[in-house]
């Protein structure tokens, strides 16, 4: 039975809204509120999956990437963050030199990795010129790797310290080789929530301005939402609505990544993590409401590989990448993924196991390779039931 045939039998308010979504109509924030509070999870899943399959069929995207995390020292003090260490002695912190970071890059020259993702704490000594020079050196050593780097929070601080405008700062980084921006730092845009969880860093307006300017400079970016802490559904809807509005103007977002709040070792550890049903609902709502952002990503190092696999039936079409054990952010926040690394064979198996087509992509979602018929020497048999 399809989602549309279920909906024809009992047109309640929820079903009427879902029917409109299935007919390609844009949902209002009030529609989203009704769905979030009242819709049956099974129905939301069915509609989100129908939309996902209309957009991408059975394809599930992944890429081959590695992370560089230059430092975990940070001038900010977000209450949800388990990763940052301030500048007190004896804190478990690191700070990488340019040479150390280039050492990581050199390891990947000649490999199949297509993207480096640079993200870290906000360190006062790591300036715009430091990062422009780093990006330039990466480009020289590895001319084909796509460089995705720096959250809007890192950029806002760097540009402010360098006394340049957002446009000038982005132009400097772009000229040196930066190609796109990751989606971090968005958290929840609502001012009252932001004031509670990350009051001293880039505001919602600054985050949105940096991404809008990047899009105007032909740089693509991702967007995120940190959910499952002190925010309510209304705040999530407002957040997604602001991203949807910006996307209407620029079409520059590649994907949306809902990030589940993890509660280990941070100032919000007393807040329990939400149940898996809440994760499924949030992703399905995102697929239904964000009608102009092409991809929905489940970032498996944060949500865990099993939930990520399940989310492929709730609107998700992208699992990020192989990562190669090079990120610490989520392990430190309590994710079940303590050493996040999946080989390409693992990732392909994860996708095939739920009858989807594993499709390697580049950073801009150009398709690189369909793995449907690929057999790895050590690939375990995939049991399929339909
Ligand atoms: O902005 C920090 C989040 C983000 C916690 O663009 C936490 O492809 C949950 O944005 N629980 C940074 N989340 C990472 C990020 C990202 C990751 C992967 C891919 C991409 C992409 C972007 O991590 C922060 C914040 O929202 N975060 N602490 C925590 N305790
Ligand atoms: Fe710093 Fe980012 Fe952690 Fe906030 S989330 S404290 S900006 S590293």
């Amino acid at each position: 039975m399809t989602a549309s045939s279920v909906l024809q039998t009992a047109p309640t308010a929820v079903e009427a809204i879902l029917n409109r979504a299935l007919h390609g109509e844009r949902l209002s924030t009030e529609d989203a509120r009704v769905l979030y509070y009242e819709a049956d999870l099974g129905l939301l899943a069915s509609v989100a999956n129908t939309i996902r399959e209309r957009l991408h069929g059975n394809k599930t995207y992944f890429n081959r990437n590695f992370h560089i995390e230059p430092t975990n020292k940070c001038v900010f003090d977000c209450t949800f963050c388990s990763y940052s260490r301030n500048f007190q002695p004896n804190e478990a912190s690191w700070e990488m030199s340019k040479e150390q970071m280039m050492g990581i890059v050199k390891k990947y020259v000649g490999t199949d990795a297509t993207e480096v993702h640079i993200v870290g704490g906000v360190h006062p000594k790591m300036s715009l010129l430091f990062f422009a020079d780093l990006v330039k050196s990466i480009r020289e050593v590895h001319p084909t790797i796509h460089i995705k780097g720096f959250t809007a929070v890192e950029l806002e601080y760097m540009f402010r310290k360098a006394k340049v405008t957002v446009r000038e700062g982005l132009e400097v980084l772009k000229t040196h080789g930066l190609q796109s921006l990751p989606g971090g730092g968005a958290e929840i845009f609502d001012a009252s929530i932001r004031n509670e969880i990350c009051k001293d860093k880039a505001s919602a307006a600054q985050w949105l301005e940096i991404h809008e300017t990047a899009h105007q400079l032909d740089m693509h970016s991702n967007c995120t939402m940190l959910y499952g802490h002190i925010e309510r559904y209304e705040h999530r809807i407002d957040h997604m609505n602001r991203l949807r509005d910006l996307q209407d103007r620029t079409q520059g977002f590649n994907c949306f990544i809902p990030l589940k709040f993890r509660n280990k070792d941070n100032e919000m550890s007393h807040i329990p993590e939400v149940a898996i049903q809440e994760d499924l609902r949030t992703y399905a709502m995102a697929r239904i409401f964000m009608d102009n952002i092409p991809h929905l990503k489940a970032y498996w190092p944060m949500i865990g590989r099993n939930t990520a696999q399940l989310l492929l039936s709730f609107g998700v079409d992208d699992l990020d990448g192989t990562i190669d054990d090079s990120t610490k952010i989520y392990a430190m926040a309590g994710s079940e993924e303590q050493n996040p690394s999946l080989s390409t064979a693992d990732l392909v198996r994860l996708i095939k196991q739920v009858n989807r087509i594993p499709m390697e992509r580049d950073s801009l979602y150009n398709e690189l390779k369909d793995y449907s018929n690929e057999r790895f020497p050590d690939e375990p048999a995939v049991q399929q039931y339909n």
Side-chain angles (χ1 to χ4, degrees):
M1 192 180 281
T2 64
S4 41
S5 66
V6 171
L7 297 182
Q8 274 156 16
T9 56
T12 63
V14 161
E15 289 161 352
I17 296 169
L18 288 175
N19 255 326
R20 284 198 277 114
L22 280 172
H23 284 95
E25 269 182 52
R26 172 160 286 195
L27 299 189
S28 67
T29 52
E30 176 54 21
D31 292 332
R33 206 188 60 76
V34 172
L35 291 186
Y36 235 137
Y37 280 102
E38 295 175 23
D40 173 76
L41 181 58
L43 268 187
L44 281 184
S46 175
V47 173
N49 190 51
T50 302
I51 295 171
R52 177 248 200 258
E53 290 185 357
R54 275 186 200 155
L55 287 169
H56 309 295
N58 267 333
K59 289 175 193 165
T60 295
Y61 295 95
F62 68 94
N63 72 347
R64 302 204 213 198
N65 60 3
F66 62 97
H67 284 218
I68 296 180
E69 295 177 359
T71 181
N72 67 342
K73 293 187 183 177
C74 188
V75 297
F76 297 125
D77 189 18
C78 305
T79 52
F80 56 81
C81 183
S82 321
Y83 170 79
S84 75
R85 296 290 178 268
N86 59 26
F87 293 85
Q88 306 302 319
N90 305 324
E91 289 272 19
S93 61
W94 72 85
E95 194 177 320
M96 293 168 89
S97 64
K98 178 184 162 188
E99 288 64 38
Q100 285 171 308
M101 292 189 262
M102 290 308 297
I104 298 177
V105 175
K106 283 175 192 156
K107 277 199 323 201
Y108 289 93
V109 176
T111 70
D112 292 326
T114 59
E115 176 186 277
V116 52
H117 177 168
I118 311 172
V119 64
V122 177
H123 192 300
K125 291 207 183 117
M126 292 185 173
S127 64
L128 174 59
L129 290 184
F130 174 82
F131 282 123
D133 179 52
L134 174 71
V135 167
K136 180 165 167 265
S137 301
I138 296 176
R139 179 56 61 243
E140 282 164 4
V141 165
H142 201 326
T144 55
I145 198 101
H146 180 103
I147 308 176
K148 175 174 89 177
F150 315 117
T151 65
V153 170
E154 295 167 86
L155 294 172
E156 187 280 324
Y157 184 85
M158 241 184 254
F159 297 164
R160 181 154 43 94
K161 290 274 281 194
K163 297 189 171 49
V164 296
T165 64
V166 168
R167 179 171 287 268
E168 289 164 348
L170 284 171
E171 276 170 347
V172 169
L173 291 170
K174 185 180 174 193
T175 309
H176 285 76
L178 184 70
Q179 286 159 292
S180 62
L181 310 186
E187 322 313 357
I188 286 283
F189 289 143
D190 177 86
S192 63
I193 301 293
R194 230 175 158 76
N195 193 41
E196 293 287 320
I197 65 171
C198 55
K199 64 173 175 298
D200 48 0
K201 74 181 187 187
S203 66
Q206 288 171 321
W207 191 99
L208 290 163
E209 183 199 355
I210 287 173
H211 282 259
E212 182 155 14
T213 311
H215 299 170
Q216 287 163 355
L217 294 172
D218 283 332
M219 297 164 88
H220 281 255
S221 71
N222 296 335
C223 50
T224 58
M225 172 175 77
L226 182 70
Y227 70 91
H229 42 94
I230 59 168
E231 88 293 357
R232 284 184 291 119
Y233 287 153
E234 285 78 359
H235 300 122
R236 295 186 203 168
I237 295 165
D238 167 67
H239 187 91
M240 292 192 287
N241 193 40
R242 294 196 213 192
L243 293 171
R244 195 173 72 171
D245 282 350
L246 173 52
Q247 180 74 341
D248 275 344
R249 294 199 294 280
T250 63
Q251 297 299 316
F253 289 126
N254 286 332
C255 79
F256 179 53
I257 317 163
L259 293 169
K260 175 188 185 138
F261 164 66
R262 309 304 308 242
N263 71 359
K264 187 175 162 216
D265 289 341
N266 57 50
E267 288 172 50
M268 302 209 301
S269 291
H270 58 284
I271 298 176
E273 291 179 3
V274 295
I276 189 171
Q277 281 84 348
E278 196 52 41
D279 300 320
L280 303 177
R281 176 173 289 275
T282 299
Y283 278 79
M285 281 299 303
R287 184 59 285 167
I288 295 168
F289 186 73
M290 311 284 265
D291 58 1
N292 56 1
I293 299 190
H295 299 281
L296 182 63
K297 184 193 283 190
Y299 184 57
W300 65 264
M302 177 274 284
I303 197 94
R305 64 192 76 181
N306 293 341
T307 307
Q309 197 180 35
L310 185 57
L311 285 166
L312 294 177
S313 303
F314 288 76
V316 166
D317 65 281
D318 183 23
L319 293 183
D320 198 86
T322 44
I323 316 280
D324 224 3
D325 199 8
S326 48
T327 179
K328 298 185 184 64
I329 298 179
Y330 294 101
M332 290 170 80
S335 164
E336 37 286 269
E337 301 291 347
Q338 286 300 299
N339 295 301
S341 172
L342 281 179
S343 67
T344 304
D346 292 335
L347 208 48
V348 164
R349 184 180 54 84
L350 207 84
I351 296 168
K352 281 187 185 170
Q353 222 178 15
V354 290
N355 297 329
R356 301 287 190 187
I357 298 169
M359 181 65 74
E360 184 182 350
R361 61 164 175 85
D362 68 12
S363 303
L364 300 176
Y365 289 84
N366 297 304
E367 294 180 358
L368 298 181
K369 181 168 173 181
D370 178 342
Y371 280 79
S372 304
N373 298 318
E374 181 88 1
R375 292 282 168 270
F376 294 92
D378 58 344
E379 186 181 333
V382 173
Q383 272 180 303
Q384 291 178 334
Y385 298 97
N386 57 7

